[in-house]
Amino acid sequence: MKKRIGIIGAGPSGLAQLRAFDSLEKEGKEIPEIVCFEKQGDWGGLWNYTWRTGVGRYGEPIHGSMYKYLWSNGPKECLEFSDYSFDEHFGKPISSYPPRPVLFDYIQGRVKKSGVRKHIRFNTAARWVSFDEETQQFSVILDDLVNDRTYTEIFDYLIVASGHYSTPNMPYFKGLEDFPGAVMHAHDFRGADQFVDKNVLLVGSSYSAEDIGVQCHKHGANSVTLSYRSTPIGVNWPEGIKEVPLLVNFDGDLAHFSDGSQERFDAVIMCTGYQHKFPFLPDEMRLKTPNCLFPDHLYKGIVFNDLPKLMYLGMQDQYYTFNMFDAQAWVARDIILGNLTVPEKSVRTKDMETWLDRSLANKTHDDEIDFQTDYIRDLISMTDYPEFDLDTVAAHFKQWLKDKDNNILKYRDATFPSVMTGTMAENHHTEWMDEMDDSFERYFSESEETPEESLE
Ligand code: FAD
Ligand code: NA7
């Protein structure tokens, strides 16, 4: 009997797993039976933009946290697949920071070419998982959302690739209940349009606060204030954006901050991160972790230490993304196929502790980049995932941090060479601050005029 592999989620991580098996099948090797369950109607995970917030068509919590005008927040040369280059996909050089639809197109290109869509059951939500010690198999209860039908399937291995930037961490600040304007989490932010001419307060000091703050500034907010809990982002902010210490409470629309300052706001966006949330997993199989570079209980950041037939992909905080998910998926594949042996628990625990200790010693962002680089290097050394120049990718990341420090409004105009092909990225036809249209069509148009200007 063929082994059965269940994958929960068809975002970049789940798709990496499908591609990992496909790469072997293309070599003529036999692969297990694979079924991937995706609760959305299409693949791509967060990259599959939705205008919806709250619940979807079938009453499921909306997964998507991406928004209009989202451009890559790091150089694309740092996330490039090593078995499918940007050159292969687009046939010509493109800029280093493309908008969401262009990156979504790239993600789709590889899996369309592979033909793995047949393994995915869309509009199907994983509801509950159990493990039978006797048969050593997983039962997964699934909801077919379109036909409103619940059924169960049995698997030998289960891969959880359901993402962890979807369920908001939403703090409370005294007086919020009487704040007269909009209060939302970054998860529900769909674009800066509604904040034109507004004074916006963003709570948080990480990627979401930085990017949503800059988007609001770019698209015409009157003022943007970022409130930090521990450390300010600390870049060279332009006029119109500033950082203040932590929000303490509201009196109506008047915010009080911990340094005694106060200011009135029209809207509040909580950029306070996300929870790792797995409502379909029982306690003994559930990963419980904050957003960090090495979640505890995962051997090699993948294998659930208490139950090695359960594997997680993409659960780390992410400098690296698509190629890290690949490196993980190739390891998971080879474990399933028996090409890699998972050592006994004490060895796994020791290995995890080494990585955990090192992750706790990270002091700077550069340390974190080096850490994740070495983590991926370790994974790649275990499989036949095509090697690539990780030291240069790490250098690109460090340059990206410097560029952001220098000019947060211009870092997306920088270009980097591909480590896969050597191709130097092109300058986009329009500087990022002047480019108000993030569509695929506009991106690939030759014109420097905005669409409105060309209609005149
Ligand atoms: P996801 O993309 O979250 O996909 C998980 C999938 O699992 C989803 O399709 C979901 O519907 C499905 N799922 C969840 N639960 C169930 C269930 N119970 N049953 C069935 N299916 C389920 N990365 C970059 O490289 N560059 C960027 O510019 C960038 N920008 C980002 C901006 C934002 C606002 C956010 C939130 C993240 C950004 N990221 C970026 C990081 C992002 O996490 C990764 O690029 C990538 O999407 C992670 O892939 P994933 O497959 O692990 O998770
Ligand atoms: P992150 O990177 O997990 O950051 C969460 C931020 O929220 C961080 O600055 C936290 O501050 C802050 N936070 C969390 N809880 C609170 C409370 N209670 N009060 C104030 N501030 C708080 O999440 P992001 O959404 O920025 O990024 C996630 C992904 O989205 C990322 O991969 C991007 O690509 C896009 P702390 O530093 O812990 O004090």
Side-chain angles (χ1 to χ4, degrees):
M1 269 256 295
K2 261 192 173 186
K3 280 183 198 157
R4 291 198 91 217
I5 317 301
I7 303 171
I8 300 177
S13 294
L15 294 175
Q17 193 62 71
L18 291 172
R19 167 67 192 137
F21 280 110
D22 170 72
S23 71
L24 276 191
E25 198 173 28
K26 294 271 177 331
E27 289 172 16
K29 307 222 170 86
E30 204 188 324
I31 62 162
E33 186 186 339
I34 305 164
V35 190
C36 176
F37 303 104
E38 172 50 61
K39 71 176 187 178
Q40 302 189 65
D42 200 359
W43 56 21
L46 293 168
W47 295 91
N48 173 24
Y49 171 78
T50 175
W51 57 271
R52 291 176 191 268
T53 55
V55 291
R57 211 175 142 183
Y58 303 107
E60 290 298 297
I62 286 293
H63 186 80
S65 302
M66 287 205 178
Y67 36 90
K68 279 190 287 179
Y69 316 132
L70 184 144
W71 295 64
S72 182
N73 61 11
K76 75 176 196 309
E77 289 74 18
C78 295
L79 55 76
E80 192 165 12
F81 300 123
S82 81
D83 68 342
Y84 188 73
S85 65
F86 281 99
D87 284 0
E88 178 176 352
H89 184 71
F90 291 109
K92 61 176 184 183
I94 63 167
S95 70
S96 280
Y97 293 86
R100 185 202 52 80
V102 173
L103 279 179
F104 185 29
D105 193 70
Y106 171 63
I107 300 167
Q108 296 192 76
R110 182 173 73 157
V111 279
K112 278 184 185 162
K113 194 175 161 199
S114 310
V116 296
R117 202 173 170 95
K118 60 179 183 286
H119 298 298
I120 308 174
R121 282 188 213 159
F122 291 104
N123 293 306
T124 303
R127 267 303 163 245
W128 193 246
V129 176
S130 51
F131 184 72
D132 186 328
E133 286 292 343
E134 209 164 294
T135 60
Q136 290 287 299
Q137 287 179 317
F138 296 90
S139 283
V140 185
I141 300 178
L142 298 145
D143 268 355
D144 169 348
L145 301 173
V146 178
N147 299 305
D148 196 12
R149 192 176 69 87
T150 303
Y151 62 100
T152 303
E153 298 233 343
I154 306 294
F155 295 100
D156 298 292
Y157 286 84
L158 190 66
I159 312 273
V160 177
S162 53
H164 60 94
Y165 293 132
S166 182
T167 305
N169 167 47
M170 190 69 162
Y172 169 71
F173 293 92
K174 198 158 167 273
L176 262 182
E177 59 276 29
D178 295 322
F179 182 77
V183 180
M184 64 168 70
H185 188 273
H187 170 67
D188 295 320
F189 176 84
R190 289 292 177 269
D193 314 65
Q194 62 177 297
F195 302 108
V196 173
D197 294 334
K198 305 279 189 225
N199 298 308
V200 191
L201 173 65
L202 293 89
V203 180
S205 58
S206 187
Y207 296 103
S208 297
E210 174 194 297
D211 196 50
I212 294 176
V214 167
Q215 301 281 344
C216 288
H217 174 79
K218 176 177 170 181
H219 289 271
N222 188 50
S223 75
V224 172
T225 303
L226 312 181
S227 163
Y228 61 89
R229 178 170 65 179
S230 344
T231 334
I233 297 171
V235 301
N236 208 352
W237 294 109
E239 205 183 319
I241 310 183
K242 67 172 183 304
E243 280 190 281
V244 299
L246 190 59
L247 170 67
V248 176
N249 70 296
F250 273 105
D251 265 330
D253 65 350
L254 185 67
H256 296 271
F257 298 99
S258 61
D259 62 352
S261 63
Q262 51 188 49
E263 194 171 335
R264 295 194 186 280
F265 292 99
D266 300 306
V268 182
I269 308 174
M270 297 292 180
C271 300
T272 42
Y274 294 88
Q275 306 176 40
H276 281 65
K277 190 85 181 161
F278 309 99
F280 50 89
L281 287 173
D283 213 18
E284 68 277 12
M285 293 184 210
R286 204 157 59 232
L287 177 67
K288 296 172 186 179
T289 179
N291 186 27
C292 63
L293 289 177
F294 201 85
D296 199 0
H297 302 296
L298 293 183
Y299 169 66
K300 297 292 175 198
I302 304 168
V303 180
F304 195 62
N305 204 23
D306 292 335
L307 180 56
K309 291 181 121 189
L310 173 66
M311 292 186 247
Y312 285 85
L313 300 181
M315 290 302 151
Q316 296 68 13
D317 196 2
Q318 297 157 7
Y319 283 92
Y320 289 80
T321 52
F322 305 159
N323 43 33
M324 176 170 75
F325 309 149
D326 275 8
Q328 295 178 326
W330 258 249
V331 169
R333 178 200 72 184
D334 283 0
I335 289 173
I336 291 168
L337 294 177
N339 300 337
L340 273 177
T341 311
V342 175
E344 62 167 60
K345 194 167 185 181
S346 62
V347 179
R348 300 200 295 267
T349 305
K350 200 154 179 279
D351 189 77
M352 279 185 333
E353 279 168 2
T354 309
W355 284 104
L356 272 170
D357 288 349
R358 184 174 160 193
S359 76
L360 295 175
N362 289 333
K363 296 238 170 349
T364 63
H365 291 303
D366 281 6
D367 292 343
E368 293 178 349
I369 290 166
D370 290 337
F371 176 89
Q372 199 154 64
T373 303
D374 287 347
Y375 166 66
I376 295 171
R377 204 191 310 278
D378 184 41
L379 296 184
I380 291 179
S381 72
M382 298 165 72
T383 71
D384 68 353
Y385 187 65
E387 280 182 22
F388 57 99
D389 181 357
L390 278 156
D391 291 327
T392 300
V393 179
H396 285 358
F397 271 125
K398 290 174 187 174
Q399 184 58 44
W400 160 73
L401 291 179
K402 283 199 193 116
D403 291 348
K404 289 207 292 182
D405 269 352
N406 288 342
N407 195 331
I408 193 74
L409 303 182
K410 286 192 177 292
Y411 79 91
R412 286 186 167 104
D413 297 324
T415 49
F416 291 83
S418 162
V419 299
M420 307 303 171
T421 58
T423 301
M424 188 65 198
E426 286 270 282
N427 284 313
H428 185 46
H429 50 62
T430 307
E431 285 190 1
W432 183 75
M433 266 306 276
D434 297 327
E435 181 58 279
M436 308 311 269
D437 182 343
D438 66 344
S439 68
F440 189 90
E441 295 69 26
R442 167 72 185 158
Y443 184 78
F444 284 106
S445 72
E446 301 291 325
S447 167
E448 284 185 24
E449 292 171 334
T450 60
E452 285 76 25
E453 281 167 343
S454 56
L455 285 177
E456 284 169 4

